Amino acid sequence: MNPYLDLARQGKNGWWRYVLAVALILFLWQILGALPSVFLLIWVLADGNSQTGASPAGQFVGVDPVLGFAAPMLASVLFLLGLFLAIRFIHRRPFRTLITPARSIAWDRFFQGFSVWFVLSGLMSLAEAFLYPTRYIWTLDLRHYIPFVFLALILIPIQTSAEELFFRVFILQGVGLRLRYIWILSAISGFLFMAPHLLNPEARVNYGLMGFYYFIIGAVMAYVTLRDGRLELALGLHAANNLFSAVFANYAVTVMPTPSLFTVNTLDAVYSVSAAVIGLIMFVLIFVGPLRRMSLKEEMRG
C-alpha cells in the first residue's frame, strides 16, 4: 500500500482520459503557451533594429532581459492551468491529491525542502568559486535585477511546480496504478524528467553527463516524494534550485537567461554532476534517511 500513489484511485482513470488529459496539457503548454514568445520574436524581427533578434538556441538577443525571461515563462502558467483542468474535469479528482493525501498542503514541509536545497546550492557554488575563481563574473545590473527578482519569485515557482506536478506526479500516479515498486517508479520519473531537458543548451556541453544530471535529480525527487508520501519536499527543492540559478549564479549558456548577480562562464559537467550527487545524498539523508529517523526518535523522546 502506498497512500500517495493510491490518490489516483479517487478519480476516473480510463485510458482515454489520460490521452485526453495529456493532449489538453500539451496544447495549453506548448501551443498556447508559446504565443507570448512568438509575439515577442515577431516584434524583435520587425523592429528594424539589427541589434535585436534570436539566437540559434532560441534565446532573445538585444531584448530587455526581464521581457526575454517573462515571455517564455508565461507558458508555465498555461501548463499549470492545463494540469488543473485535466485533474478536475477529466479525471474528476481534487487538485490537492496531486500533492498530498492530507486535507491541506504542508507549507512548512515545502519551505524545509526549499531552505535545505537553497543552502546546499549556495555551498556548492561557493566551493566551485573557490576552486575555479575565474568562472564567476559579477554581472549585477540593478536596473534589470530588481524588477526581475520580483517577477522570478512569482513565475519560477509556477514553472517548477507545473513540472513537478506533471513529470513527478500525474504520470507517476498513473503508472503507479499498475506498478508499485518505488525504485522502478523513481527511475521512470528520472527518465521522463531527463528527456525534455536534453533539448536544453546546457545538455550540449556533455549529453552523457548532463543527461545523468537531469536523470538523477528527477529520480531522487521521485524517490523522496514516494518515501515521504507527499510532494512538498520535491516542490521546495525544484523551486530552490531554479531560483538560486536564476537570481544568484546563472550560466552564460542556458535555456533560461537571467540578469543574475553572477554569470558562470563555464558549465563544468563533471563538477555539476558530482555536486548534484553529493547534495542529493545529503537531502535524502536529512528528509527520508537515517538523519530523519534520528530526528523523529529525538522528537518522540522529547
Side-chain angles (χ1 to χ4, degrees):
M1 290 290 292
N2 188 309
Y4 187 69
L5 292 176
D6 288 339
L7 289 172
R9 301 186 188 279
Q10 292 187 22
K12 297 183 179 295
N13 295 297
W15 66 268
W16 64 269
R17 292 181 185 274
Y18 280 96
V19 173
L20 183 59
V22 170
L24 172 64
I25 292 166
L26 293 180
F27 174 74
L28 287 171
W29 176 27
Q30 295 293 325
I31 306 300
L32 293 185
L35 292 180
S37 295
V38 170
F39 291 147
L40 180 57
L41 179 61
I42 292 173
W43 180 70
V44 299
L45 292 177
D47 65 359
N49 185 349
S50 61
Q51 302 301 313
T52 61
S55 70
Q59 300 168 352
F60 292 103
V61 178
V63 176
D64 184 313
V66 178
L67 186 60
F69 166 78
M73 287 294 286
L74 288 174
S76 297
V77 177
L78 291 170
F79 189 7
L80 192 60
L81 175 62
L83 278 160
F84 176 79
L85 294 175
I87 293 299
R88 290 294 292 118
F89 300 106
I90 297 177
H91 289 284
R92 298 190 180 181
R93 48 186 275 218
F95 188 69
R96 169 186 48 77
T97 59
L98 286 178
I99 300 173
T100 175
R103 292 186 177 183
S104 60
I105 297 171
W107 290 107
D108 59 334
R109 201 72 168 145
F110 168 84
F111 286 110
Q112 288 169 9
F114 182 96
S115 301
V116 167
W117 191 255
F118 202 86
V119 170
L120 289 172
S121 296
L123 292 174
M124 290 183 280
S125 287
L126 282 174
E128 184 180 22
F130 177 78
L131 293 171
Y132 310 99
T134 59
R135 290 182 181 177
Y136 283 72
I137 302 170
W138 179 259
T139 52
L140 174 63
D141 179 352
L142 284 175
R143 183 168 59 93
H144 293 126
Y145 186 74
I146 293 176
F148 161 72
V149 168
F150 284 107
L151 199 61
L153 288 172
I154 297 170
L155 291 178
I156 288 180
I158 291 175
Q159 175 238 339
T160 56
S161 295
E163 289 187 5
E164 285 300 306
L165 291 168
F166 185 67
F167 292 106
R168 204 81 51 232
V169 182
F170 178 70
I171 294 176
L172 196 65
Q173 287 181 341
V175 175
L177 291 169
R178 298 286 182 272
L179 184 66
R180 310 295 286 187
Y181 298 102
I182 287 180
W183 290 105
I184 297 177
L185 288 171
S186 298
I188 291 172
S189 182
F191 278 112
L192 290 172
F193 188 70
M194 174 188 72
H197 285 86
L198 289 178
L199 299 175
N200 291 357
E202 296 94 324
R204 297 171 195 164
V205 173
N206 186 315
Y207 279 108
L209 284 176
M210 293 308 295
F212 178 74
Y213 170 84
Y214 293 121
F215 168 80
I216 196 68
I217 289 178
V220 169
M221 284 194 289
Y223 175 77
V224 168
T225 297
L226 292 171
R227 285 289 306 275
D228 199 45
R230 53 200 313 152
L231 187 66
E232 290 94 344
L233 287 174
L235 287 172
L237 184 155
H238 201 163
N241 186 75
N242 286 26
L243 267 173
F244 183 88
S245 295
V247 173
F248 288 98
N250 207 356
Y251 290 106
V253 177
T254 175
V255 70
M256 189 172 66
T258 61
S260 53
L261 288 179
F262 294 91
T263 296
V264 188
N265 58 25
T266 300
L267 200 171
D268 185 336
V270 173
Y271 183 85
S272 295
V273 170
S274 302
V277 169
I278 293 171
L280 289 168
I281 289 173
M282 290 300 300
F283 194 86
V284 170
L285 290 176
I286 290 169
F287 287 112
V288 297
L291 295 180
R292 173 60 176 167
R293 289 195 290 271
M294 289 172 60
S295 175
L296 289 174
K297 287 180 180 178
E298 290 298 323
E299 289 178 10
M300 292 176 65
R301 288 173 185 169

